[in-house]
Amino acid sequence: MKQTKQMSETLLVGSLLAMVGGFLDVYTYLTRGGVFANAQTGNIVLLGITLSEGNIKKALTYLIPILAFIIGIIVAEAIKNKYKTKESVHWRQIIVLIEGITLFIVAFIPDTQNMVANAIIAFVCSLQVESFRKVEGSPYATTMCTGNLRSGTELFYYYRKNKDQKALVKSLQYFCIILFFIIGACIGTILAKLFLLKAVLFSIILLGIVILLMHKKES
């Protein structure tokens, strides 16, 4: 009996989501106060710096996105547990739909409320990174590149040492995800300069494509 491969774990969907990840990082950096709302490592470091300086007010600008990220993880798991047995709709489609609706709202939040916008995007990114954790059977991330870079390089070394073609294929898949993250960042840069706060609306197009693709069954 053939196993059904989930469309949500294909390289195509992973690449599209990586584009969204790169796009959102550039969007928050260029239009929302020079911060990265995807990976929280930088926010945690900056939180430590501001706390050591006794600047509690500024520390909140980093703490709030971190808390929003945590809440997003919890929400993603709750949605998974509630809808994972439903046949009418895949729980990951619900996640992407929530992501799209939320980003639509962000487009209309003024730049005087950047902290709110960045917290919402951090929430969205945590939904995505928690829900899409494998590509072609391998663990990966769509909103950050460090782990993907490590895994891709490790597998490439293994290929060079053992001539394992499977390791080469998996290595190239990781580098493909990184490439599309960069492409998303490039597109985000161009659109952010043209459309400013409203540029985030273009990322919803990518999410719409992901939802459509996830209707497809692939064996």
Side-chain angles (χ1 to χ4, degrees):
M1 184 177 179
K2 288 184 178 180
Q3 288 186 334
T4 301
K5 182 169 68 174
Q6 293 187 27
M7 179 56 71
S8 59
E9 295 186 8
T10 62
L11 184 60
L12 175 58
V13 167
S15 298
L16 288 170
L17 291 173
M19 285 181 67
V20 173
F23 189 106
L24 293 178
D25 248 350
V26 164
Y27 173 76
T28 56
Y29 185 81
L30 293 180
T31 71
R32 295 294 186 179
V35 301
F36 295 110
N38 273 344
Q40 296 305 309
T41 303
N43 287 336
I44 292 171
V45 170
L46 293 170
L47 174 64
I49 292 172
T50 52
L51 286 175
S52 69
E53 295 172 344
N55 193 339
I56 304 300
K57 185 177 180 180
K58 190 174 182 181
L60 288 175
T61 64
Y62 305 115
L63 178 61
I64 290 175
I66 294 169
L67 294 176
F69 192 92
I70 293 171
I71 293 170
I73 298 296
I74 295 170
V75 170
E77 284 300 307
I79 292 173
K80 176 183 177 181
N81 289 332
K82 184 173 182 179
Y83 292 99
K84 64 182 178 181
T85 58
K86 303 289 184 181
E87 294 184 359
S88 57
V89 62
H90 196 287
W91 67 272
R92 289 188 179 93
Q93 289 176 301
I94 298 173
I95 292 291
V96 178
L97 182 61
I98 292 172
E99 190 173 351
I101 293 171
T102 306
L103 291 176
F104 181 83
I105 294 171
V106 168
F108 299 95
I109 296 176
D111 55 9
T112 55
Q113 299 295 325
N114 280 342
M115 186 167 66
V116 174
N118 288 331
I120 292 174
I121 292 177
F123 170 79
V124 163
C125 291
S126 68
L127 289 179
Q128 182 172 305
V129 77
E130 180 67 10
S131 304
F132 296 86
R133 302 170 67 174
K134 286 187 178 182
V135 61
E136 304 295 344
S138 299
Y140 82 122
T142 61
T143 62
M144 57 198 81
C145 292
T146 304
N148 296 336
L149 185 61
R150 180 200 64 79
S151 297
T153 305
E154 180 182 65
L155 286 164
F156 185 75
Y157 172 81
Y158 188 82
Y159 157 72
R160 291 292 302 236
K161 183 179 179 181
N162 301 288
K163 305 304 178 184
D164 186 337
Q165 292 296 322
K166 289 184 178 180
L168 176 61
V169 170
K170 287 186 176 294
S171 173
L172 293 176
Q173 287 171 352
Y174 279 112
F175 288 122
C176 181
I177 293 295
I178 294 171
L179 174 62
F180 275 90
F181 189 95
I182 295 170
I183 291 173
C186 291
I187 294 172
T189 299
I190 295 169
L191 295 179
K193 290 179 179 179
L194 290 173
F195 300 100
L196 303 176
L197 300 184
K198 299 297 187 294
V200 73
L201 293 172
F202 289 88
S203 66
I204 299 174
I205 297 173
L206 296 174
L207 295 174
I209 295 172
V210 169
I211 290 177
L212 292 174
L213 286 172
M214 286 172 61
H215 280 290
K216 179 181 177 182
K217 300 286 186 180
E218 186 170 274
S219 59

